[in-house]
Amino acid sequence: TLSELCLPLPGESALGAARVPAGPASPPSGSYRPLSGSSRGASRPPLASGAGRRGLCWSGNSRLPVVAGSGLASPGLALTTALLTAIKDLKAFERRLTEYIACLQPATGRWRMILIVVSVCTATGAWNWLIDPETQKVSFFTSLWNHPFFTISCITLIGLFFAGIHKRVVAPSIIAARCRTVLAEYNMSCDDTGKLILKPRPHVQ
């Protein structure tokens, strides 16, 4: 009688037993491992006939992974389910963060162009205002009245800064920096595009 030990997979339905043909190959390293009694010929509880949870098993004779229905409960099922759920949540969070940062890029580019244009206009108007000989002869407000281009550009630039353009031109970087601050508590980080970076586990002495 072939005895096997099953490692159920989360999310699978009870579909009965489906074995992989026996062969001399060994199970891939690091993929799956038996929960107990890995030696050939070790005593293992037989599979229950009928419906049960579908999972990966190690055959006692062929040592190949097989898929079978078993009524046995696996101690690692809860841990496996929790890990898969955590990975799914991390992927969803990373996808949402990258989408949000990517959506900010067009608006950020437009605000940067506006800031550059207004800054260049202000600098040009300021240069013309300074090199004008009449600027030193008349009052300050009169000189500004004589140079409306500089006056309008300067007022526009000041209004843009009051409107928060200095934050809008670096909005993706601000979002990424705030996310890094939160993710640092979980030993993670992210780049400027929102991709998550898993840091090495800290060594606890």
Side-chain angles (χ1 to χ4, degrees):
T1 303
L2 180 64
S3 60
E4 297 163 334
L5 185 61
C6 296
L7 179 61
L9 295 177
E12 295 283 348
S13 59
L15 299 177
R19 303 177 183 276
V20 177
S26 299
S29 175
S31 299
Y32 301 95
R33 60 182 180 85
L35 297 178
S36 62
S38 60
S39 60
R40 185 186 301 270
S43 176
R44 300 186 180 94
L47 286 174
S49 60
R53 186 179 296 277
R54 192 183 182 190
L56 286 173
C57 308
W58 295 119
S59 168
N61 295 334
S62 63
R63 296 185 61 80
L64 280 174
V66 297
V67 180
S70 173
L72 300 176
S74 172
L77 176 60
L79 178 60
T80 304
T81 306
L83 290 176
L84 292 177
T85 303
I87 293 173
K88 184 179 179 180
D89 292 342
L90 284 176
K91 289 182 177 294
F93 173 75
E94 181 184 55
R95 181 171 60 253
R96 186 68 184 96
L97 182 59
T98 53
E99 289 176 356
Y100 183 73
I101 292 179
C103 290
L104 290 177
Q105 295 295 343
T108 301
R110 289 192 293 269
W111 284 113
R112 289 175 180 174
M113 290 300 300
I114 292 174
L115 181 60
I116 291 174
V117 171
V118 175
S119 299
V120 171
C121 293
T122 304
T124 305
W127 175 255
N128 294 329
W129 177 65
L130 292 175
I131 64 175
D132 187 4
E134 297 295 329
T135 302
Q136 299 178 358
K137 299 178 181 180
V138 297
S139 63
F140 175 73
F141 293 101
T142 304
S143 64
L144 293 179
W145 182 264
N146 293 335
H147 296 82
F149 179 76
F150 167 67
T151 304
I152 295 174
S153 299
C154 188
I155 293 175
T156 304
L157 183 62
I158 294 174
L160 289 175
F161 273 99
F162 273 108
I165 194 173
H166 57 290
K167 295 181 180 180
R168 297 176 185 270
V169 295
V170 291
S173 300
I174 293 176
I175 298 299
R178 292 176 179 175
C179 289
R180 291 189 192 101
T181 302
V182 176
L183 292 173
E185 300 293 333
Y186 303 94
N187 201 33
M188 293 188 296
S189 183
C190 66
D191 56 12
D192 291 336
T193 61
K195 295 291 185 180
L196 293 181
I197 301 174
L198 301 179
K199 296 182 180 179
R201 181 175 299 178
H203 179 68
V204 179
Q205 298 181 352

